[in-house]
Amino acid sequence: MSENIQNPTPIEAPEEFVVTLQTPFQRFCLDFFESRVASAAFVVLVGILFIAICAPLISPQNPYDLSQVSILDAKMAPGSQSFDGWTFYLGTDGAGRDLMSAMFYGLRISLGVGVMSGMIAMCIGAAIGLAAAYFGGRIDAIIMRIVDIQLSFPAILVALILLAVLGKGVDKIIIALVIVQWAYYARTIRASALVERNKEYVEAATCLALSHNRIVFKHLFPNCLPPLIVVVTIQTAHAISLEATLSFLGVGLPISEPSLGLLIANGFDYMLSGYFWISFFPGIALLITIVSINLVGDQLRDVLNPRLDR
Amino acid sequence: MTVFIIRRLMQSAIVVFVMSFLVFGGVNIVGDPVEMMVSDEADQEERERVIKSMGLDKPWYIQYGKFVTNALQGDLGNSFVYGEPALQIIVQRMPATFELAFVSLLMSIIIGIPFGVWAGLFPERFSSKLIMSGSIVGFSLPTFWVGLMMIMVFAVMLGWLPSTGRGDTVIVFGMELSFFTPDGLSHIFLPALNLALFNTSLVIRLTRAGVREAIHMDYIKFARAKGLSYRRVIMVHLMKNIMIPVVTVLGLEFGGLIAFSVVTETVFAWPGMGKLIIESIQNLDRPIIVAYLMIIVLVFVVINLVVDILYSILDPRVRLQDVSS
């Protein structure tokens, strides 16, 4: 007895107990970083975001400040030196700009356009999809018919038609990308909202005579978020790729806002003469961005899918 | 069935009508057609004469009515650049685009199915994993950049294949085709491969999934038990059953190929409809832009209609669902 008091056996918490102490967010993080590929993609993505946000601070030169750019440095190979002594690690483009700096600035524009259009499209699409699912009936039928018709046309075609009509510009391409994307969000959120809508908590909220707005946005919406988050990541990657394609075709961003797609298009003119790096490196940057967003999105889908038992 | 087709036809008509409205409104109201027609030095009198001759002084619904009546008669205006009817120019370019799309569809089948079957039969092998990661990259790669890299490697560095134009063509059934001449074939190879990239990845994944599912089915076991050769089981019994979803999806993707050919045609300077529209947008050649948009909407509405009807024939559930809703 006395022995027990002097040396009390330390109370070991049972393992399940520890698990329940995690917040949902911690559990989500643990699940997410289980996959090495996804963790690596996440780190790369954070790095890309950092570069995009801090582009003016970390770029070796400001490629659009004419006093820092010399035409004598044009089309220099990667690793060569300018005559005032610094190194162009990725070479220079046709106007003598440091390609690495131009890419950092381009990444900023590409990501900005992609994320901005994704967010706006998500807000519009989610509101419309929720309305369709919540009110049902005729409203639902009409909205979904419009969504169906729009999705039967390829995204690039819709964007091309819109830009042919609207003209060039950052605002125009964001409008075009929003119109292209909203239908995907509307369809996704409608599908999950249809399931959630018939659950008891919505019934309870309806019995409390809460307003439509409150039920839809405070009760229904948060429960439809997981699939939406997945679609946001995948669609953002699509938007970035689509913007690059449209800018390459010369119908997207104006020449004053050089995204990665425009950098590649500029390099195209020099490629047949053997200056491959001008469009090669921006393409690699685009590829890394898109692949890492897709990998993160894939892992999110696995983690957030309630049907996969974890 | 008749009710279903009538409903779909009506829906298609509405889509075409709405699109004609949007295109007309976008081109004639958002933009200013007068700016296009008169030079900068023109005085007010000159401007008013042009406005009158184009009928722009009339209210918009009369202008729109005139646009629709002309369009229905096949008159979408004359191109500013070529000076010929816009419709005629586009129709001339059409065979090149369709040929490219068709060859690339063929390519994605020829490349995609063997790889997909291999990856499905031996999912644990390193080669299969390589094929599958390759297909993910195929989905993620921007088409135009891959096209550029193909030109760089095969045309600039190695010099094996030409990178621009159609090469020699022969006239088959009244259409100029590159496919039947050796020179034309060498010209179509790179663009078609580039355009096929996305669909090849799709076919690989579909085929692999189909094989993984079918390999455990009783009819495969039975065929093996009968003592048929491994080769025959795969080539006949397995292939027949996995082809249905692959063919369906590829049929659906044909429209996408025509849309994406805009990108490939620009990269490889392939003289089809897609290159024409990009040039016309840059030259502000309005009649061509309007005609192209109307034709492409029409092409897509027809493709969607055919796919929908075929679907409802193949799968009666689709039809029932639509009538009840």
Side-chain angles (χ1 to χ4, degrees), chain B residues 100-154:
Chain B
L100 184 64
F102 186 73
V103 173
S104 106
L105 202 63
L106 213 65
M107 256 183 189
S108 56
I109 293 173
I110 294 171
I111 304 170
I113 288 183
F115 276 130
V117 170
W118 179 268
L121 288 177
F122 314 107
E124 295 305 316
R125 286 204 191 169
F126 179 70
S127 55
S128 302
K129 287 184 176 152
L130 209 64
I131 292 172
M132 294 321 285
S133 353
S135 79
I136 293 180
V137 176
F139 275 126
S140 304
L141 283 168
T143 315
F144 67 98
W145 186 70
V146 178
L148 292 184
M149 292 303 114
M150 280 176 169
I151 291 181
M152 193 184 86
V153 174
F154 294 108

Side-chain angles (χ1 to χ4, degrees), chain B residues 212-232:
Chain B
R212 300 283 297 141
E213 204 179 296
I215 204 92
H216 301 291
M217 291 288 171
D218 287 342
Y219 59 80
I220 297 287
K221 283 184 195 151
F222 181 67
R224 297 288 306 280
K226 271 201 301 190
L228 296 179
S229 69
Y230 200 62
R231 192 189 178 82
R232 192 175 159 79

